């Protein structure tokens, strides 16, 4: 789980299971790995590679390098 905060505002949240549903709903940008549950994938703004493929790391690398 990665939680980036700025002045108590959740900007970006990453998750993969049922306990992450509410935070994905409230996040400015919800990112899930491809092996996440289907409910999260339908709610997410972005679906990245699986956790075994280092999906979150690769997503963050692309996100920060293209800025």
């Amino acid at each position: 789980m990665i939680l980036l905060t700025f002045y108590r505002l959740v900007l970006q949240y990453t998750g993969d299971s049922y306990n992450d549903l509410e935070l994905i709903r409230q996040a400015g940008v919800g990112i899930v790995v491809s092996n996440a549950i289907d409910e999260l994938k339908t709610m997410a703004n972005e679906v990245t590679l699986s956790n075994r493929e280092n999906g979150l790391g690769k997503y963050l690398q692309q996100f920060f390098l293209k800025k």
Side-chain angles (χ1 to χ4, degrees):
M1 166 181 52
I2 294 292
L3 185 60
L4 302 175
T5 59
F6 183 72
Y7 297 120
R8 296 182 172 254
L9 172 66
V10 176
L11 302 175
Q12 184 177 41
Y13 183 81
T14 306
D16 66 353
S17 193
Y18 290 103
N19 62 317
D20 301 312
L21 286 169
E22 188 57 34
L23 284 172
I24 290 288
R25 268 191 208 103
Q26 293 181 20
V29 177
I31 303 157
V32 299
V33 289
S34 64
N35 57 302
I37 60 172
D38 289 337
E39 290 91 337
L40 276 178
K41 288 190 226 178
T42 60
M43 294 171 55
N45 301 89
E46 300 277 343
V47 178
T48 188
L49 299 172
S50 73
N51 59 335
R52 290 182 181 214
E53 298 170 291
N54 195 24
L56 177 59
K58 289 179 181 176
Y59 173 86
L60 291 173
Q61 189 176 43
Q62 290 176 348
F63 179 81
F64 286 110
L65 289 179
K66 71 178 179 183
K67 296 289 176 191

